[in-house]
């Protein structure tokens, strides 16, 4: 039935609408505020701040262009993060039926919506959704090249290079895919074909490689990275399955391990290898940290590899679904439970009531200033996005602000800190909230 080939596109449309339902808000957290503030700059300053960062330039450049075409806003930026998830679904709908089945394409599209962290990073104003797209599309096109599907080699090269220009861990995930391709091309006695494609990728990546080396020399550590311990390694390996309900997380993880074993027994080596890439990427990272005695890794860096994990799982599930209706029903039940749980949690996180905060910000002006006390400049960086006209002062300098003067305290009020504000009385305004933050706001009056 010819109409069957359109079914994955219907799944893609429905799943994209799930993502889009989460973008209509103005809530951002620290990392999003940091990225959005760079994107809002003029082109010259955007380039300067991008090159001073530790990440490749694709996201900032493309988001800057997108917002200059469609307008700068939180919603626009979140839509920009949904686009790669849609593109991945369309790539899957177009190519997976040709190298596997329509069922595989539909399974993968659903998994890329339902599984933990994907909705979160799929609407986040960061580069992770683009990294997921490029790395996962690399895995899809690798299968196409293995199956000798015409005209897919250029697509493989393109998404590989763009992934490398998006995030270092997209490059790592892609490198594992290309390692698999090397083994298969060696088996086919066509290593020259692999070398030609790899050489093009390497040449195209050279400018980004030079920039990355320059950036890494300036970087010392990642500010929120966990120490490289065995416990943190295990936490990273569990990361793709964390639903915040232990039983469901355990079921999801056990099911994935079972499908990995099943793929190995059935000699579905591409499926098994794709499932294992995220573990390999995590182990590689921790080994490097142990060797260098440094911290540069956080679990969300695994997102590109996790996109490939679910592709491997979709390939394995296609075989299982064809063999057992009972297992098919069980899988549908598990995926549905995970989707409902993660969607509710993400909806609550996105649609936090920030009306009081927005009302307060709307009353401030360019002459106003504030003093802030917090362990790390989270609220301060976010204020740079929400109210770039507000100026931060040190306690001894706040009197020089020509307009209204404020004190913000993130966390528990510290009486010792408030005593540092001399010659002012404190008038409590209220607790203000946005995204995951709540802080106390005071007006300083003489």
């Amino acid at each position: 039935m010819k109409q069957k080939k359109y079914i994955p596109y219907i799944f893609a449309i429905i799943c994209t609408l799930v993502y889009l339902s989460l973008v209509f808000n103005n809530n951002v957290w620290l990392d999003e505020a940091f990225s959005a503030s760079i994107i809002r700059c003029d082109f010259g300053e955007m380039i300067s701040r991008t090159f001073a960062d530790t990440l490749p330039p694709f996201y900032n450049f493309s988001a800057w262009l997108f917002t200059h075409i469609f307008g700068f806003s939180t919603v626009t930026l979140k839509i920009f993060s949904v686009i790669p998830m849609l593109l991945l679904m369309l790539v899957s709908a177009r190519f997976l039926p040709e190298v596997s089945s329509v069922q595989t394409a539909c399974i993968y599209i659903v998994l890329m919506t339902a599984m933990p962290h994907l909705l979160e990073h799929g609407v986040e104003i960061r580069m992770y959704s683009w990294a997921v797209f490029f790395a996962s599309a690399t895995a899809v096109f690798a299968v196409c090249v293995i199956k000798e599907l015409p005209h897919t080699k250029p697509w493989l090269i393109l998404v590989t290079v763009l992934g490398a220009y998006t995030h270092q861990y997209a490059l790592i995930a892609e490198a594992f895919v290309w390692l698999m391709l090397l083994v298969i091309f060696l088996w086919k006695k066509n290593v020259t074909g692999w070398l030609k494609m790899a050489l093009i990728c390497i040449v195209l990546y050279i400018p980004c490689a030079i920039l990355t080396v320059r950036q890494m020399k300036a970087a010392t550590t990642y500010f929120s990275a966990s120490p490289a311990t065995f416990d943190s390694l295990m936490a990273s390996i569990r990361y793709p399955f964390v639903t915040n309900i232990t039983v469901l997380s355990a079921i999801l993880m056990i099911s994935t391990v079972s499908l990995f074993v099943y793929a190995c027994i059935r000699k579905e080596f591409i499926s098994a290898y794709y499932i294992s890439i995220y573990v390999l990427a995590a182990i590689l990272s921790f080994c490097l940290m142990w060797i260098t005695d440094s911290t540069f890794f956080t679990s969300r860096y695994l997102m590109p590899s996790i996109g490939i994990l679910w592709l491997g799982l979709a390939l394995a599930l296609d075989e299982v679904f064809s063999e057992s209706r009972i297992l098919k029903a069980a899988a549908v039940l598990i995926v549905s439970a995970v989707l409902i749980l993660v969607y509710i949690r993400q909806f609550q996180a996105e649609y936090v009531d920030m009306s009081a905060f927005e009302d307060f910000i709307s009353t401030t002006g360019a002459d106003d200033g504030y003093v802030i006390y917090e362990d790390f400049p989270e609220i301060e960086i976010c204020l740079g996005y929400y109210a770039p006209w507000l100026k931060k002062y040190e306690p001894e300098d706040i009197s020089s602000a020509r307009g209204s003067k404020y004190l913000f305290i993130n966390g528990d009020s510290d009486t010792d800190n408030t005593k540092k504000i001399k010659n002012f009385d404190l008038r409590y305004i209220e607790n203000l909230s946005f995204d995951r933050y709540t802080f106390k706001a005071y007006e300083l009056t003489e």
Side-chain angles (χ1 to χ4, degrees), residues 39-49 61 64 68:
I39 294 163
R40 184 164 51 191
C41 295
D42 62 55
F43 187 68
E45 186 177 357
M46 183 273 292
I47 292 177
S48 176
R49 292 182 64 179
F61 277 64
W64 185 91
H68 275 71

Side-chain angles (χ1 to χ4, degrees), residues 36 41 55 142 166 175 184 195 309 319 341 343 346 353 356 376 383 417 446:
C41 295
L55 293 170
T166 303
I184 292 174
L195 285 172
L309 155 69
E319 297 290 330
L341 182 64
Y343 181 82
Q346 193 58 37
D353 181 12
F376 184 84
L383 284 174
N417 281 332
E446 296 184 87

Side-chain angles (χ1 to χ4, degrees), residues 130-424:
W130 285 96
V132 168
F133 164 55
F134 290 129
S136 302
T138 296
V140 171
F141 286 120
V143 177
C144 294
V145 169
I146 292 168
K147 301 285 186 179
E148 299 182 356
L149 202 65
H151 313 301
T152 53
K153 288 181 181 178
W155 288 111
L156 172 63
I157 292 169
L158 177 65
V159 294
T160 297
V161 173
L162 289 177
Y165 274 77
T166 303
H167 200 284
Q168 290 89 350
Y169 271 79
L171 175 59
I172 290 172
E174 292 167 352
F176 280 116
V177 173
W178 278 79
L179 181 61
M180 177 196 73
L181 278 175
L182 174 59
V183 172
I184 292 174
F185 271 68
L186 284 170
W187 178 69
K188 290 183 175 182
K189 298 181 180 179
N190 185 25
V191 68
T192 303
W194 183 91
L195 285 172
K196 288 179 180 178
M197 293 189 297
L199 183 60
I200 295 173
C201 291
I202 291 170
V203 170
L204 292 175
Y205 179 64
I206 287 174
C208 187
I210 294 171
L211 173 62
T212 299
V213 170
R214 178 175 173 270
Q215 290 173 324
M216 291 301 104
K217 286 182 179 179
T220 55
T221 187
Y222 184 80
F223 63 82
S224 64
S226 300
T229 64
F230 181 77
D231 286 344
S232 57
L233 171 60
M234 290 298 100
S236 293
I237 290 176
R238 291 193 300 270
Y239 183 73
F241 315 105
V242 175
T243 65
N244 290 348
I245 293 182
T246 303
V247 173
L248 185 57
S249 300
I251 291 172
L252 186 58
M253 187 172 188
I254 291 169
S255 300
T256 301
V257 173
S258 300
L259 284 166
F260 171 77
V261 173
Y262 170 84
C264 291
I265 293 173
R266 293 292 301 269
K267 296 183 179 179
E268 298 288 341
F269 295 126
I270 293 176
S271 173
Y273 182 68
Y274 280 178
I275 292 172
S276 67
I277 281 179
Y278 89 98
V279 175
L280 297 174
I283 292 174
L284 173 65
S285 300
F286 277 82
C287 286
L288 289 174
M289 286 194 291
W290 285 327
I291 292 170
T292 61
D293 192 27
S294 61
T295 58
F296 58 80
F297 174 80
T298 184
S299 293
R300 62 179 175 272
Y301 289 176
L302 288 173
M303 288 306 300
S305 299
I306 290 171
I308 300 173
L309 155 69
W310 300 126
L311 175 58
L313 206 75
L315 293 168
L317 279 172
D318 182 56
E319 297 290 330
V320 171
F321 283 9
S322 301
E323 294 179 357
S324 172
R325 290 185 178 182
I326 295 176
L327 292 178
K328 182 177 182 178
V332 170
L333 184 63
I334 293 169
V335 172
S336 299
V338 174
L339 173 58
I340 292 169
L341 182 64
V342 299
Y343 181 82
I344 291 173
R345 188 175 71 244
Q346 193 58 37
F347 187 91
Q348 292 171 340
E350 294 294 334
Y351 292 99
V352 172
D353 181 12
M354 59 180 297
S355 56
F357 173 74
E358 290 182 312
D359 289 343
F360 168 75
I361 290 299
S362 67
T363 65
T364 62
D367 292 332
D368 298 347
Y370 68 92
V371 174
I372 188 166
Y373 292 115
E374 53 182 341
D375 294 333
F376 184 84
E378 295 176 291
I379 302 297
E380 179 185 342
I381 291 174
C382 291
L383 284 174
Y385 173 73
Y386 285 119
W389 56 85
L390 283 179
K391 182 179 179 182
K392 179 196 171 186
Y393 290 85
E394 295 301 321
E396 60 273 16
D397 300 325
I398 187 62
S399 58
S400 61
R402 292 181 295 174
S404 299
K405 304 168 183 62
Y406 301 101
L407 169 66
F408 303 141
I409 299 179
N410 187 12
D412 295 332
S413 178
D414 186 336
T415 55
D416 290 336
N417 281 332
T418 58
K419 289 178 181 177
K420 295 177 183 177
I421 309 294
K422 298 178 180 179
N423 303 320
F424 288 98

Side-chain angles (χ1 to χ4, degrees), residues 84-155:
M85 305 310 293
L86 169 61
L87 291 176
L88 179 56
M89 294 177 199
L90 294 178
V91 166
S92 303
R94 168 64 179 84
F95 292 99
L96 286 180
E98 295 198 39
V99 296
S100 182
S101 70
V102 167
Q103 183 171 249
T104 299
C106 293
I107 293 169
Y108 187 49
I109 289 167
V110 170
L111 290 178
M112 290 306 293
T113 306
M115 291 298 98
H117 309 297
L118 287 165
L119 289 177
E120 174 187 356
H121 293 298
V123 299
E124 187 178 46
I125 304 173
R126 292 287 282 169
M127 69 297 301
Y128 294 111
S129 60
W130 285 96
V132 168
F133 164 55
F134 290 129
S136 302
T138 296
V140 171
F141 286 120
V143 177
C144 294
V145 169
I146 292 168
K147 301 285 186 179
E148 299 182 356
L149 202 65
H151 313 301
T152 53
K153 288 181 181 178
W155 288 111

